Amino acid sequence: MRSEPAVAGVVTGVIPPLCTPLTEEQELDVPSLERLCAFLLDAGVTGLFVGGSTGELAYHTDELRLRVLTVARGVAAGAVPVLAGAVDLSTNRVIAQARAAEAAGADAVVATVPFYSPTHPSEMVDHFTAVSHALSIPLWAYDIPGNVQRKLPAEVTAHLAGAGVIAGLKDSSGDLDALRTALDLTAANGARARGFSVLTGSEVMADIALALGADGIVPGLGNVDPHGYVALHEAARRGDTKEAARQQERLRTLFAMVRVGDTTRIGGYASAIGAFKEGLRQRDVIAHATTPRPMGALSAIEREAVTAHLRTAGLL
Amino acid sequence: MRSEPAVAGVVTGVIPPLCTPLTEEQELDVPSLERLCAFLLDAGVTGLFVGGSTGELAYHTDELRLRVLTVARGVAAGAVPVLAGAVDLSTNRVIAQARAAEAAGADAVVATVPFYSPTHPSEMVDHFTAVSHALSIPLWAYDIPGNVQRKLPAEVTAHLAGAGVIAGLKDSSGDLDALRTALDLTAANGARARGFSVLTGSEVMADIALALGADGIVPGLGNVDPHGYVALHEAARRGDTKEAARQQERLRTLFAMVRVGDTTRIGGYASAIGAFKEGLRQRDVIAHATTPRPMGALSAIEREAVTAHLRTAGLL
Amino acid sequence: MRSEPAVAGVVTGVIPPLCTPLTEEQELDVPSLERLCAFLLDAGVTGLFVGGSTGELAYHTDELRLRVLTVARGVAAGAVPVLAGAVDLSTNRVIAQARAAEAAGADAVVATVPFYSPTHPSEMVDHFTAVSHALSIPLWAYDIPGNVQRKLPAEVTAHLAGAGVIAGLKDSSGDLDALRTALDLTAANGARARGFSVLTGSEVMADIALALGADGIVPGLGNVDPHGYVALHEAARRGDTKEAARQQERLRTLFAMVRVGDTTRIGGYASAIGAFKEGLRQRDVIAHATTPRPMGALSAIEREAVTAHLRTAGLL
Amino acid sequence: MRSEPAVAGVVTGVIPPLCTPLTEEQELDVPSLERLCAFLLDAGVTGLFVGGSTGELAYHTDELRLRVLTVARGVAAGAVPVLAGAVDLSTNRVIAQARAAEAAGADAVVATVPFYSPTHPSEMVDHFTAVSHALSIPLWAYDIPGNVQRKLPAEVTAHLAGAGVIAGLKDSSGDLDALRTALDLTAANGARARGFSVLTGSEVMADIALALGADGIVPGLGNVDPHGYVALHEAARRGDTKEAARQQERLRTLFAMVRVGDTTRIGGYASAIGAFKEGLRQRDVIAHATTPRPMGALSAIEREAVTAHLRTAGLL
């Protein structure tokens, strides 16, 4: 159940935000990354998203970001689209990131609203418009207020979608009410009918987002258990909400692995990303669970907690 | 009253965060930038800070950031130090920015805590330590929680100062209680005696920060009225708190110019930066008041409000 | 489809949080309140909730709060339960409110976590335990972090439910992920099987909350259109998610009436409560749309906007 | 250096927010409260403030609030004014509290902006105006955004002061910039000249607030060390900023006692209030360090940490 090559219409299915495997020396671990991509494709994912929060976008240099994209493109080999985050502080910097991603073969780029300085909704419109004009490939909006401190209002999304500035929305806001409004407004203004895609970044309410009309899922946890999310998505697509909910409940339980780390000692991201990578390592997908500096590392006890989570989920 | 060339000890005085003049085509306006630097040096500033929030750090590409630094270095000509912001999302990206700034001749680089993803205090320590190790020039900490959402705790500052990791603090937190704690702790651990510098980024409480022991001021409004801040600083240095307060009151009144813009139409930063640039244009220091995209522009009425502010302050 | 008198088991259905009609002199308008209760009961609601945010709990004296409860009890006449908010700053004050509500005939009281000062989760447990011990009637938890600044963690809810301290949860958090966790945990610990009730306070995602397993709805907008919410609930109960979603979409559109007020002039609550009351007035349920001081009043244009909303919804 | 009886002009000096001693059975400990009042008066305080955050206003019933006021009035015996917090959710409830305080002999009442529901600045004006009209004694504004989530804007304070609605401001915002603006605006509109009082609630920046022009201090820590704050205030009054700073530094160090409690186990307020009460107990001023439910209690180790703080400060 793969989508058409590249982004030729609505993007559906499971498009995991790739983890970025590192060697113990903090270098990109290319063989592990290739194995991870193959593992995901084999599980039936319909696209790959590089440069997301799960991919440690904030932690890597421009060069490493592009190397990840290149590797993912290579493994995807045109069979599924590769979306690339082009996350930076404001318009001119996003354009630089986005053009580099386009040059490196991204099928679409995904950009947030400007951050660091607050931005008025009308300035958000100008931002996405300028980025879109600088590109030949589709631009998506990445709504992730937990990281950029500012919600992309559903009205702005709808305006941009209606005007053809953006081709899709990756909603990592956790705000299902606003997601529903965005779906309603982009249906009302014809954008949905013309192929505007809406993906949820929620690991834990994906079945509901799909029931509300979202096209697909971009779950960080999908690195660790892509089969689970593919099963969830397929159940939702055929209208089997009971089975979708059952899969979701299982994945909700597994998702608690992001809290294995003691956040009096390390940051919450270090816990979550560390747990995903440790899970992939224990599943023999990647070689090391190294997280990028300055993230603190999981302790031995915390790594055992990951094992317990994987066992409960039947993944070991 | 200039400091020694470069950063050979405590940095004192007024070190304005340079505005970044742009042409109407959004290109760097080099002649205007040179005039601005000369205007500030002529007024008696003791350093220049490029790549700060007032300098629109979030809005410019790496290349433009470095061109600004190069121009400022050229005008400063070693007479005063040039500090360069190396602001990016996390350690590896900050190191890339910082090394480029060092290569371009910065006398010191100024870096924030990681942002986008939350960071534990112990991870902040590792962050600054890694950045410092990557540099041959001094590293300063830039505490600006209003933009990076996370306060650099005074205890972390003191630890880093005591360990010689950072050479100074630019405090743009507005939290005078925490500034006082940082001053106390760095005095207690000997860092102050060894030359650890503390600058306040506050335009409106600079006299108090100096009275509490801060060494100098990095005021965005100092672009528009450097003479006022130099007078304030000199009064504070000679212990004339009444005169320092009188200057501060005058500058507090002038600072209201940052609110000329209607924030139901444009962002707050667009208003503040737009007002500074319009003030510089009306004072014939720079040629255009252009702000970088996607900032909204001031209206004619709002520009007249800037004029009124300048007149009240005796600057026109 | 009425529930049993009082709270003898799971509370299901639509339990609107009563608006509090006032005369133009800011006195309780008893005839209007009686008409409102009768209007709601006639539409098929299964309970009444007095002393909620929609009921302007923050704005009324103890005496007026109790008079509203007494009137509601009189109209309900035992046919449906009357739940009473006992909202105050901390344990001792909540107990005073709760005992007064019990004495005035409430079937259950609904209390928030302490506010004004932050409270540790273990202190939340002690809080609800102490309030429960002071009462002979069931205690419910009222989770409304938008007003009390603190989320009642799902784990605390489950602990209290499992221990029999609370008989139900009114979830006005808007956090469907946490609601789902609370439902999961109270199912796992047996509380749901023993009659623990879960109601959502969401006007706009009620169908989803019901699909996730919530028992009923406490929608402020249910004052204006109780028939809509009763239809939504009945569709959800019989498993007709399409029809439930259709009703929800209609009510989502109507809910935009809360934003008729210009919030550069009045507060957001004044807009929302004013719109509900104006809607009830235009529907001839209550005599005046008076809001309690210091709420600003809707303008003539804003009242006409309410009319337009009612017309679109077919309510005029 | 006592002020005139009651509030017949500007209130100056140290006006501690009284702790509320409780017996082990959570009853008001009247003898301890009387000893505390006498201890403070003997140290030279110029007023007493009951019903503040330090007084656990959120935790006590109306009846207990009034009993505290009555006891304080009795000990003050007209020699110093007694200000009473009238803190409740909105206008009508504040009026009820305020009238009760007036009837119980308060010399002034101190009220916050409405909370629970957000309030527009124009509604804040109406709020204070209505409360003021309901009273024969002066009304003060209590600016404590950390607890009521909303800053009283300096412009609103100045408007109310200029109109004679409020007689003073108790600023517990920690925002010295806004305090300075309030002082400037109330000087400019003549309110200060007519006796408008400004007190700071800051324990740790009191010397600066006084240097900026504040009239007095309302320090929670002043329960434990009233002599320190009286000395600080006297130094500031005679213009000896060095000595004021020296006293302040000593009190800043002592203030760290509020963090003795482990906030992974109890709330931050339980730690701070518990530390103040434990300090008073160890200094033999009150009989028990009991805190009101549901606050968690300090452990034996945490109580010893209080001892260490008192010893360092020379208070044992």
Side-chain angles (χ1 to χ4, degrees), chain B residues 14 68 284:
Chain B
V14 179
V68 171
D284 288 328

Side-chain angles (χ1 to χ4, degrees), chain D residues 19 54 203 219-224 254-255 257-258 271-281 286 289 298 306:
Chain D
C19 280
T54 303
E203 278 98 350
L221 184 63
N223 285 276
V224 179
L254 179 59
F255 188 67
M257 74 191 294
V258 300
S271 172
I273 303 289
F276 289 163
K277 286 188 157 180
E278 179 63 21
L280 285 168
R281 192 194 64 75
I286 68 174
L298 297 185
V306 171

Side-chain angles (χ1 to χ4, degrees), chain A residues 4-153:
Chain A
E4 290 304 294
V7 184
V10 175
V11 174
T12 63
V14 179
I15 303 96
L18 275 183
C19 281
T20 303
L22 301 177
T23 66
E24 290 177 329
E25 294 74 33
Q26 298 254 332
E27 300 295 327
L28 182 63
D29 178 352
V30 174
S32 286
L33 178 57
E34 289 172 338
R35 278 199 304 276
L36 174 57
C37 293
F39 170 69
L40 298 173
L41 292 170
D42 190 62
V45 306
T46 52
L48 298 173
F49 177 45
V50 301
S53 304
T54 303
E56 308 158 354
L57 73 87
Y59 296 86
H60 295 307
T61 60
D62 292 352
E63 190 223 350
L64 196 144
R65 286 182 179 189
L66 292 177
R67 288 177 62 207
V68 171
L69 170 55
T70 303
V71 172
R73 283 298 296 159
V75 182
V80 303
V82 178
L83 285 69
V87 175
D88 214 312
L89 304 178
S90 192
T91 312
N92 292 321
R93 297 183 66 81
V94 169
I95 287 174
Q97 299 279 345
R99 282 182 169 154
E102 176 173 352
D107 293 301
V109 294
V110 189
T112 72
V113 298
F115 51 105
Y116 193 81
S117 309
T119 301
H120 189 276
S122 71
E123 295 169 342
M124 294 178 186
V125 170
D126 291 347
H127 166 73
F128 284 107
T129 304
V131 176
S132 174
H133 286 172
L135 294 175
S136 306
I137 55 173
L139 173 66
W140 286 51
Y142 192 171
D143 185 25
I144 189 162
N147 292 80
V148 304
Q149 318 299 333
R150 209 150 296 270
K151 178 95 182 82
L152 176 63

Side-chain angles (χ1 to χ4, degrees), chain B residues 176-178 180-181 184 204-208 212 245 248-249 252, chain D residues 176-178 180-181 184 204-208 212 245 248-249 252:
Chain B
L176 288 164
D177 176 20
R180 192 171 195 169
T181 300
D184 286 350
V204 290
M205 296 294 276
D207 61 333
I208 300 299
L212 289 172
Q248 183 65 86
E249 286 299 319
R252 285 176 66 87
Chain D
L176 288 164
D177 176 20
R180 193 171 193 169
T181 301
D184 286 349
V204 290
M205 295 294 275
D207 61 333
I208 301 299
L212 289 172
Q248 182 66 86
E249 287 298 320
R252 285 174 67 86

Side-chain angles (χ1 to χ4, degrees), chain A residues 155 176-182 184 204-208 211-212 244-246 248-249 252 259, chain C residues 155 176-182 184 204-208 211-212 244-246 248-249 252 259:
Chain A
E155 292 74 16
L176 288 163
D177 176 19
L179 174 65
R180 193 171 194 169
T181 300
D184 286 350
V204 290
M205 296 295 276
D207 62 331
I208 300 299
L212 289 171
R246 204 185 61 79
Q248 183 66 84
E249 287 298 321
R252 286 176 65 87
R259 289 183 289 274
Chain C
E155 293 73 16
L176 288 163
D177 175 21
L179 174 65
R180 193 171 193 170
T181 300
D184 285 350
V204 290
M205 296 294 277
D207 62 333
I208 300 298
L212 289 172
R246 206 186 59 79
Q248 182 65 87
E249 287 298 320
R252 284 175 67 85
R259 288 183 290 275

